[in-house]
Amino acid sequence: MFRKFDEKESVSTVTQLKSSVQKNIRNQIIDTYPTFEPYFTEIWPKKEPARLAKTHEKVEVLVVDHEPIFFKCRDSQWLPNIRLLHKYPFLLPIQQVDEGAIKFILSGADIMCPGLTSKGAFLDMETEKGAGVQVHCEGKELAIAVGTMAMTPKEIKDVNKGVGIAVNHCLNDGLWHWKHVK
Amino acid sequence: MSDVESDEGPPPHPALYELPDIPFDEMSPLQKRWHKIKAIPEFPVKVVYLGDCEMPLEYVEYLSEDMRKQAFEQAATEDIDIGGLELKESGGKKKSQSRGGRGAVKAKKKAEPQKVKVGRVSRGKKKAVTHVTGLHSYELDLKKTAKIFGSKFACGTSSNEKNDEIVIQGDFIDEVIDLILDKFGDKIPENMIVDIGDMKKAG
């Protein structure tokens, strides 16, 4: 989603949000991540105005205090920026991929099923199709990507072909380098 | 979700994942991960990022060679333990990924330092505006810089991100050069600032 993202070209507008919309977004995020609430009010205090950056492909990025913290595409749930996810790793369910997949993910590939079913990988069977997940790697501590389940875990196991998790945001992509929003 | 909050005792851990009551060694990789997350006493977790790419240490090895070097240099200067990772020189035997197409993470191009050009464009007989171009490559915020100029010279200024240009109303060529050296002298060396005198009216 952010592979071809460039701050200058992709961001069309950054607008200050109306307080009613802010409330709405705040509630949506807290609904999705109920246990995040106390920390969330820390990084986004009630009075702090938030901004919304509209970028390419209808991706919207929530900006608080010059930092992009959450993003969403069309009607998807709000997904955390990886920097945020590293700080609060409990936000999303984990899927583990094997070591061989790392370099492909870093160059922007989606997660293919074999990378989730092989020996070094581990699949969380509880997640549903369309749910946001964080992708961890065999032998590494930190999340490498944030994605959306493109199949159910059962399908991934049975079919074992094609895209299993659509990667929305990964390390070293456009959003990762977009640290400061003017 | 219950809204009851007790004032005593630590709040429940935010991770929702339920762990079975088995020894750590018998857990699946996933459960181990959650076990570690649940063991984190305090959020936010501090993560160290290295180099221009700002990659976490454990992923540095997947960067391209020069980015990797840079990351390790930073680790050395800031005295960060890189824990057994070594800078591998890819000399002699080339790996299959040497094409650099897929797999290897490419380095992001960094803007070359450009010359800062200061020029004057005349507006009518006795008025002029000063154009300053090339500041962007020094990672200055054009908008803020324009504001600094404006408040120093008590005049109107405007910034143009696209053309990497600041326009100051009035002829301030010499003063601007002095001011840039004064304020940003640590970033911009003197020989990079050029006075190009009278410019043609930009189209």
Side-chain angles (χ1 to χ4, degrees):
Chain A
M1 200 187 266
F2 291 101
R3 192 158 43 129
K4 283 181 186 153
F5 177 88
D6 183 76
E7 189 189 336
K8 271 195 200 123
E9 284 159 26
S10 307
V11 182
S12 56
T13 54
V14 183
T15 45
Q16 180 107 37
L17 287 173
K18 284 196 284 185
S19 62
S20 58
V21 185
Q22 281 186 32
K23 217 184 281 169
N24 223 333
I25 293 176
R26 192 187 285 272
N27 288 341
Q28 276 171 10
I29 292 178
I30 290 175
D31 272 354
T32 327
Y33 311 102
T35 52
F36 189 42
E37 192 175 350
Y39 306 100
F40 191 45
T41 41
E42 229 165 77
I43 53 171
W44 186 13
K46 278 246 160 70
K47 285 278 154 62
E48 183 85 21
R51 292 180 297 163
L52 192 72
K54 291 208 169 109
T55 66
H56 65 315
E57 293 174 21
K58 297 259 187 256
V59 179
E60 294 175 333
V61 183
L62 181 69
V63 180
V64 174
D65 193 21
H66 299 287
E67 261 178 68
I69 51 170
F70 278 88
F71 65 91
K72 79 175 213 170
C73 178
R74 293 206 171 83
D75 292 327
S76 78
Q77 72 186 73
W78 285 97
L79 293 166
N81 187 329
I82 292 197
R83 283 175 201 273
L84 188 75
L85 190 65
H86 282 165
K87 288 182 191 155
Y88 305 94
F90 54 83
L91 285 175
L92 292 168
I94 297 174
Q95 303 287 9
Q96 185 178 325
V97 298
D98 58 26
E99 223 177 335
I102 299 177
K103 63 181 179 194
F104 297 106
I105 300 172
L106 285 179
S107 53
D110 285 333
I111 318 259
M112 300 294 161
C113 288
L116 289 161
T117 50
S118 69
K119 205 180 153 213
F122 201 87
L123 205 54
D124 187 349
M125 298 305 282
E126 307 275 299
T127 44
E128 283 160 28
K129 188 176 170 178
V133 289
Q134 52 176 315
V135 181
H136 281 219
C137 299
E138 178 189 7
K140 310 278 177 194
E141 295 281 328
L142 293 163
I144 187 175
V146 173
T148 322
M149 299 292 291
M151 295 183 189
T152 61
K154 198 168 174 299
E155 273 172 355
I156 293 178
K157 272 218 160 133
D158 296 344
V159 182
N160 206 9
K161 242 181 199 165
V163 177
I165 300 173
V167 171
N168 296 122
H169 167 36
C170 72
L171 285 182
N172 211 14
D173 71 356
L175 185 61
W176 175 259
H177 286 291
W178 195 29
K179 287 170 293 187
H180 185 88
V181 185
K182 275 177 196 154
Chain B
M1 282 278 100
S2 67
D3 293 324
V4 188
E5 273 182 47
S6 62
D7 292 333
E8 287 153 40
H13 196 277
L16 286 174
Y17 195 86
E18 273 176 40
L19 283 173
D21 196 14
I22 50 172
F24 183 73
D25 291 335
E26 285 171 32
M27 288 183 191
S28 71
L30 204 69
Q31 287 161 343
K32 279 182 186 168
R33 279 182 190 277
W34 281 111
H35 185 87
K36 275 183 197 156
I37 289 176
K38 287 205 168 186
I40 298 170
E42 209 172 48
F43 294 99
V45 182
K46 282 210 174 71
V47 186
V48 178
Y49 300 118
L50 292 176
D52 256 9
C53 272
E54 303 223 324
M55 292 293 261
L57 175 62
E58 44 185 26
Y59 291 110
V60 165
E61 54 179 307
Y62 293 94
L63 292 173
S64 65
E65 200 177 326
D66 37 338
M67 296 309 295
R68 214 162 44 207
K69 254 187 206 154
Q70 199 196 16
F72 282 125
E73 272 164 24
Q74 197 202 330
T77 51
E78 287 173 26
D79 211 19
I80 300 163
D81 183 24
I82 54 169
L85 274 176
E86 265 174 60
L87 178 59
K88 277 169 243 154
E89 301 280 347
S90 64
K93 219 175 159 190
K94 284 209 168 169
K95 284 183 193 153
S96 56
Q97 289 293 344
S98 55
R99 273 187 312 132
R102 287 182 71 85
V105 179
K106 269 180 236 147
K108 233 181 135 191
K109 265 180 262 158
K110 219 183 172 183
E112 287 237 332
Q114 284 174 328
K115 286 214 160 130
V116 178
K117 289 179 187 160
V118 186
R120 181 197 311 121
V121 176
S122 85
R123 298 178 57 87
K125 283 240 168 76
K126 58 172 186 178
K127 290 183 181 170
V129 289
T130 314
H131 285 237
V132 182
T133 53
L135 285 177
H136 198 79
S137 53
Y138 295 96
E139 293 181 6
L140 294 177
D141 188 338
L142 288 191
K143 228 174 169 177
K144 279 181 190 157
T145 319
K147 195 96 189 182
I148 294 170
F149 291 163
S151 54
K152 184 82 183 173
F153 306 137
C155 66
T157 53
S158 66
S159 60
N160 188 336
E161 289 268 335
K162 251 186 208 150
N163 299 345
D164 186 11
E165 178 183 62
I166 292 176
V167 181
I168 311 164
Q169 290 184 350
D171 181 358
F172 293 108
I173 291 191
D174 297 336
E175 289 96 323
V176 156
I177 294 175
D178 288 344
L179 184 63
I180 292 175
L181 285 174
D182 188 31
K183 287 250 164 173
F184 313 110
D186 49 334
K187 284 185 200 160
I188 308 172
E190 192 172 357
N191 56 1
M192 290 304 274
I193 306 176
V194 274
D195 176 359
I196 51 174
D198 281 308
M199 304 193 322
K200 272 180 202 158
K201 213 173 215 176

